[in-house]
Amino acid sequence: MIDASPLDLDLDTATDARLAAALAAGAGARLLELRRRLDGSDFDADDLRRTGDRSGHEYLAARLAEHRPGDAVLSEEAVDDGRRLVADRVWIVDPLDGTREFAERREDGSWRDDFAVHVALWQRGRGLTDGAVALPARSRVYASDEPATVGGSPAEEVLAGRRRLRLAASRTRPPEVVRRLVERGDAELVAMGSCGIKAISVLEGVADAYIHAGGQFEWDSAAPVAVVTAGGLVATRLDGSPLEYNRADPSLPDLLVCRPRLVSLVRELVETVAAEATAG
């Protein structure tokens, strides 16, 4: 983890991982400035979301064009022209992950902090090679070249039955499999916004695993996966198959991020509730 303040780098000579971190931090700073301008005033949340998406994308697109002009870009906020499919290097970015949370205040009037900026690099023949996830409102950037050590209570507490699994999932639309595991008493829900926030929560030890089912795209998970796998976590499709990026169809609908020692247990539980749902 590195500080989220603007990085003092020569971006033309920076490594790809350092560039990803610097650009994620820079886009995050722009997002925070958008919110600062609205402090103490009424605002339209939909307009703020649109402005945040656009501002983050424009910043990332301009910086990548300047510092990596030969590379292709896949962004949530841009038309996919298909050039990336023949490129050897493709930046996969989400300029504002957790758009709902970005434009939302809590009951006490404070801004929510569970949104992120994702910047990842895919290279032909190598897959995801570099990435960074900025958590602007928490003043943190996690990068693949400086992965954090997995924190929190050890997995052995779960395996020994001393506590339940902590599963990160959407605070507004938790997957059915997570709801069933909570109802069965196998897990407790750690609800939050943003794919990046959820994946990082496993790296930080706030959660033991992050389960998503029901629809995502490559830009949702590319940077988080690059960062957490560099930090020693396991990231796969929910059925255990590998995550693949820069495909013609960018849909990547499900995801499991997990502590290595708990992967077998989590997959067993997921298969159990899936079988129960089919039988019931």
Side-chain angles (χ1 to χ4, degrees):
M1 183 182 72
I2 58 179
D3 189 89
S5 58
L7 303 179
D8 183 16
L9 295 173
D10 179 351
L11 296 184
D12 289 322
T13 59
T15 65
D16 291 321
R18 290 295 84 195
L19 178 64
L23 297 192
R30 288 172 66 98
L31 294 172
L32 291 179
E33 178 58 27
L34 287 174
R35 296 208 305 192
R36 280 192 207 94
R37 296 174 187 171
L38 296 173
D39 282 341
S41 64
D42 293 330
F43 65 95
D44 181 274
D46 288 337
D47 183 61
L48 179 56
R49 295 183 191 108
R50 288 190 294 268
T51 302
D53 281 332
R54 183 175 65 252
S55 177
H57 170 74
E58 290 173 351
Y59 174 85
L60 293 176
R63 297 290 80 75
L64 288 170
E66 178 182 1
H67 301 295
R68 296 294 190 272
D71 296 353
V73 178
L74 172 63
S75 171
E76 180 180 15
E77 302 305 323
V79 175
D80 183 3
D81 60 15
R83 286 185 293 178
R84 63 184 177 84
L85 298 176
V86 296
D88 290 330
R89 290 167 50 93
V90 181
W91 293 89
I92 304 175
V93 304
D94 189 342
L96 173 52
D97 183 61
T99 310
R100 178 195 298 267
E101 288 74 22
F102 169 69
E104 185 175 326
R105 292 187 189 272
R106 300 183 180 90
E107 290 184 2
D108 65 3
S110 63
W111 291 104
R112 293 193 65 91
D113 65 358
D114 47 343
F115 68 95
V117 178
H118 299 173
V119 180
L121 175 64
W122 174 94
Q123 298 192 60
R124 189 169 302 280
R126 298 174 61 191
L128 294 177
T129 58
D130 305 274
V133 175
L135 312 184
R138 300 182 183 180
S139 300
R140 302 175 201 162
V141 178
Y142 289 83
S144 57
D145 65 340
E146 290 191 15
T149 302
V150 178
S153 301
E156 282 70 20
E157 292 186 357
V158 176
L159 296 173
R162 293 196 294 270
R163 67 172 175 84
R164 291 180 295 172
L165 275 168
R166 296 187 298 250
L167 296 181
S170 170
R171 70 186 182 94
T172 56
R173 300 178 302 278
E176 179 64 23
V177 62
V178 172
R179 289 198 294 267
R180 286 180 176 271
L181 288 173
V182 171
E183 290 169 358
R184 282 165 46 102
D186 296 309
E188 60 182 82
L189 173 64
V190 184
M192 59 190 80
S194 168
C195 176
I197 291 282
K198 298 186 196 81
I200 294 300
S201 77
V202 185
L203 198 62
E204 293 177 330
V206 174
D208 299 303
Y210 162 36
I211 291 178
H212 179 85
Q216 279 185 346
F217 292 88
E218 292 185 11
W219 46 75
D220 291 303
S221 65
V225 165
V227 171
V228 301
T229 54
L233 297 183
V234 174
T236 66
R237 297 287 299 272
L238 203 51
D239 63 2
S241 59
L243 296 157
E244 298 180 359
Y245 293 88
N246 197 37
R247 299 159 308 141
D249 179 1
S251 173
L252 199 53
D254 55 79
L255 173 67
L256 170 65
V257 173
C258 190
R259 291 170 177 246
R261 292 268 291 150
L262 295 175
V263 170
S264 295
L265 172 62
V266 172
R267 287 184 179 149
E268 179 183 340
L269 289 171
V270 168
E271 291 171 2
T272 297
V273 297
E276 289 176 352
T278 300

